[in-house]
């Protein structure tokens, strides 16, 4: 039997740091309001002309180096993004060209903040079925390009960045299970309404911005994440205390703390980067994972639960032994 295992991780953040104080000079807000409601203190914002693919490339190269392989070894490329460089080709194809890989299947996954969970679960199925032996899975976003910088309710929440993993084969499970869900009935609670087909005028006017009913999203996120934690544990016959690390989507420390409490985990076992990264949507989970692998918190053999929730709504989890 062939299983999928994470061989290496990488991450990349743009240089420019934007603090809450910086934002307080742009909109009517305060460091105190942002920190108390979200836990966010600063975020990184891509430079003019720096694209999602630019960020993805840096994260991918770091993950390839960590896994000790080259772009030519990769036979599957998946990029989770809500902010692709172009409508087409996919950011995965643009990334493939940058890396000098030819011929591997390459495609984007659009599941907003749950995108990386969807992408990693897809890669795992390719590996387990024997369709791929080494996959590059990236979450990359330039959320700053779809934020209304005059709207204090949303502009304080988001940031830019990219995270990546290389997934290879193993005779024992690295990735133990994945659970993916969606319910499009909630499409209007968290959305960017402008698009190619439905509201092209919004795209033309340059006003395709994140719209969010924050309170309702918050309530749904907490309840749903509770349920998927239970689903993951039950599917694997695991007790809560066997999970060593929680790597959640980084939207808000209050949502993260609620999930940790449900798991009976102390916050020392939860990887939190939202304070420094903001919400980087599909990039947030692989970025947080990379941070904790590189600083030595997550060790080989540790059981890690990744979970995400985002626009759609979409939600999902991955349980893995690193
Ligand atoms: N600074 C100061 N005041 C603000 C700001 C701001 N940046 N933004 C909103 N306010 C004001 C509002 O205008 C409102 O004022 P009013 O009472 O005079 O009308 C007041 O603060 C309260 O606004 P709420 O929206 O009710 O604030 P809430 O406590 O719900 O916090 C927040 C908002 C942080 C967005 C919260 O709802 C939340 O975390 N929601 C989860 C959604 C989320 O994280 N989304 C990210 C994308 S989805 C995902 O990744 C899961």
């Amino acid at each position: 039997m062939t299983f999928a295992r994470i061989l290496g991780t990488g991450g990349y953040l743009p240089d420019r740091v934007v603090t809450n104080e910086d934002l307080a000079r742009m909109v009517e807000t305060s460091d105190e309001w942002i920190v108390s409601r979200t836990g966010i203190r600063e975020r990184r914002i891509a430079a003019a002309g720096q694209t999602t693919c630019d960020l993805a490339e840096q994260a991918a190269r770091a993950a390839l180096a960590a896994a000790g392989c080259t772009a030519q070894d990769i036979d599957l490329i998946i990029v989770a993004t809500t902010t692709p460089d172009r409508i087409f080709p996919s950011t995965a194809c643009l990334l493939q060209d940058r890396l000098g890989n030819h011929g591997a299947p390459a495609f984007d996954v659009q599941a907003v903040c749950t995108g990386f969970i969807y992408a990693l679960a897809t890669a795992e199925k390719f590996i387990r079925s024997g369709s791929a032996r080494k996959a590059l899975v990236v979450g990359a976003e330039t959320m700053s390009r779809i934020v209304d910088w005059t709207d204090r309710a949303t502009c304080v929440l988001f940031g830019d960045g990219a995270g990546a993993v290389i997934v290879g084969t193993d005779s024992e499970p690295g990735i133990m299970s994945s659970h993916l869900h969606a319910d499009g009935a909630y499409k209007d609670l968290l959305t960017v309404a402008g698009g190619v087909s439905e509201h092209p005028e919004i795209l033309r006017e340059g006003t395709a911005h994140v719209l969010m009913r924050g309170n309702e999203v918050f309530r749904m996120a907490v309840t749903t994440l509770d349920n998927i934690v239970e689903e993951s544990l039950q599917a694997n016959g695991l007790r809560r205390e066997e999970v060593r690390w929680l790597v959640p989507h980084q939207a808000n420390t209050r949502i993260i703390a609620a999930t940790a409490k449900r798991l009976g985990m102390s916050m020392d076992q939860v990887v939190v980067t939202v304070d420094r990264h903001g919400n980087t949507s599909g990039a947030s989970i692989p970025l947080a994972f990379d941070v904790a692998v590189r600083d030595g918190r997550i060790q080989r053999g540790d059981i890690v639960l990744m979970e995400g929730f985002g626009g759609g709504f979409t939600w999902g989890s991955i349980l893995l032994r690193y």
Side-chain angles (χ1 to χ4, degrees), residues 28-30 33-34 37-38 113 152-153 156-158 190 212 214-215 217-218 221 249 251-252 254-255 279 309-311:
E28 202 183 325
T29 190
S30 65
W33 193 96
I34 301 170
R37 305 287 174 122
T38 71
C113 301
R152 69 177 183 175
V156 301
L157 302 175
F158 295 97
L190 181 55
M212 183 178 64
N215 266 315
V217 175
F218 187 93
H249 167 51
N252 182 310
R254 289 186 299 151
I255 299 177
N279 179 349
F309 180 89

Side-chain angles (χ1 to χ4, degrees), residues 45-226:
I45 300 297
Q50 190 176 32
T51 70
T52 293
C53 189
D54 293 329
L55 310 186
E57 181 185 352
Q58 298 296 330
R61 289 192 187 282
L64 285 167
C69 58
T70 69
Q72 283 65 42
D73 299 328
I74 298 298
D75 55 6
L76 173 66
I77 301 173
I78 309 179
V79 175
T81 187
T82 301
T83 47
D85 282 28
R86 305 181 185 183
I87 289 166
F88 73 84
S90 67
T91 305
C93 284
L94 303 180
L95 176 63
Q96 179 178 41
D97 179 48
R98 295 277 184 90
L99 297 176
N101 175 289
H102 300 277
F107 56 90
D108 287 0
V109 163
Q110 159 59 301
V112 203
C113 301
T114 322
F116 181 76
I117 299 285
Y118 269 61
L120 186 54
T122 305
E124 188 240 357
K125 288 169 201 338
F126 269 77
I127 299 241
R128 288 196 65 168
S129 69
S131 302
R133 294 195 58 78
K134 226 162 238 168
L136 166 63
V137 184
V138 183
E141 304 280 10
T142 42
M143 294 302 286
S144 60
R145 305 273 154 79
I146 54 167
V147 163
D148 177 355
W149 288 100
T150 65
D151 174 17
R152 69 177 183 175
T154 51
C155 76
V156 301
L157 302 175
F158 295 97
D160 300 334
V165 297
I166 308 296
V167 189
T169 56
D170 204 328
S171 54
E172 285 174 31
I175 296 176
M176 298 157 74
S177 72
S178 59
H179 296 277
L180 304 180
H181 300 280
D183 190 342
Y186 296 99
K187 60 190 180 297
D188 294 324
L189 293 192
L190 181 55
T191 183
V192 175
V196 183
S197 192
E198 194 186 9
H199 287 297
E201 72 286 357
I202 296 180
L203 211 54
R204 275 198 302 275
E205 289 159 5
T207 53
H209 294 142
V210 177
L211 306 172
M212 183 178 64
R213 304 232 291 266
N215 266 315
E216 288 156 83
V217 175
F218 187 93
R219 275 199 303 276
M220 272 295 291
V222 171
T223 320
T224 310
L225 291 171
D226 273 1

